[in-house]
Amino acid sequence: MGEQVTRVGIVGTGVISGTYLDHLAKLPGVEVAAVADLDVARAQTVADAHPGVRALSSDDLMADPDVEIVLNLTIPAAHAPVHRAALEAGKHTYGEKPLAVDRAEAKPLLELAEAKGLRIGCAPDTVLGTGTQTARAVIDRGDIGVPTAASASFVTPGHELWHPAPEFYYQPGGGPLLDMGPYYVTSLVTLLGPVRRVTGRAGRSQDERKVHSGPRAGETFPVDVPTHVTGILEHESGALTTVLMSFDVWAARLPRIEIYGTDGSLSVPDPNAFDGAVEIATSAQREWTEVPVAGGYAGAGRGVGVADLARAIRTGGPHRADGALAFHVLDVLESLLEAAAKDQPVDVTSTVERPAAVPLGASPETA
């Protein structure tokens, strides 16, 4: 068909790689060429299940001229080293969130990419689906007037109830804010623009938690991070977002995200999903009503951000789930924890442009 294809090499073949492989196979303009993993046998098993995909060592994948984008699906502690290796090898790179474990690791990656004329992208790309993008279209149309405030909540009693090895959720780099915050803050920045200042408080309900499932059920482990974080994000637009992220709540009826404007309110679906119902209530129509889909990549799944990046590489245009956005989100999250520790507001030193909206009916190959 003469379609231009950008070839992708995946580093890290854990559970999440299966989702990426499944969705990338359905997307135009991208093709997985190779996979690599510290567990060579696991990489070979993945390659054997996907015709045309080769199992390589990480070094060989980085050196392979057929690979243009390295998709970094390693554990968070390895995100920055793998991104750096890809950039040093002259590859564009895209990874799972977070961009790095902290700003000190992340900033040099952006500088290296710019120096080499390469692109760096980062999840979440859920904001490119019809859920968040329909909400974006409603806001941009002025249907709720001028957005003045928002609320964002993620609460759960803790991942140890279902995860057989949950310790990493309670170690530095974990906790509810850094675990789920990237989905929420990326969506908020997409909807309301960048954040300039944060205020927060944080605490934890327990010093130890217990594994509830798997062969280690009954074992206890230490909690080293805040498990309940609340705060205020002051957006550059002047809008104020109230944030609550917790592993200490057994049950709640809190909405995921709501946006409040001068003429109405908007209910935004789960930012950890690509779709979902968007609802609006206005000064003229006080009852919640569902909004027809008005934007976003329909039927999107993990990897649509990679396809969006590949299109941008071919055309020279911007891509949406980019490193600057991921860095700003990480900056906001770290700043919120700092504000809680210092008991004072913290200015967010980075900023970013709102990513371009995804038009209704768009394809990641052309939008």
Side-chain angles (χ1 to χ4, degrees), residues 89-110:
K91 312 291 188 187
H92 306 283
T93 183
Y94 182 100
E96 258 300 319
K97 56 87 182 169
L99 181 60
V101 295
D102 55 33
R103 290 167 297 198
E105 272 197 341
K107 189 173 182 181
L109 298 174
L110 301 185

Side-chain angles (χ1 to χ4, degrees), residues 229-252:
V229 182
T230 185
I232 302 293
L233 313 182
E234 300 178 36
H235 295 264
E236 290 181 10
S237 66
L240 300 177
T241 295
T242 304
V243 174
L244 171 60
M245 300 277 149
S246 183
F247 287 167
D248 293 339
V249 177
W250 283 102

Side-chain angles (χ1 to χ4, degrees), residues 1-5 29 314 365:
M1 297 176 62
E3 176 188 276
Q4 284 187 293
V5 174
R314 292 192 297 270
E365 186 182 23

Side-chain angles (χ1 to χ4, degrees), residues 103 177 185 198-202 229-233 243-245 330-342 344 346 348:
R103 290 167 297 198
L177 190 65
V185 176
V198 300
T199 304
R201 301 293 291 172
V229 182
T230 185
I232 302 293
L233 313 182
V243 174
L244 171 60
M245 300 277 149
L330 181 60
D331 194 7
V332 171
L333 298 175
E334 275 198 81
S335 296
L336 185 52
L337 290 175
E338 289 174 3
K342 295 177 179 178
Q344 64 184 39
V346 170
V348 178

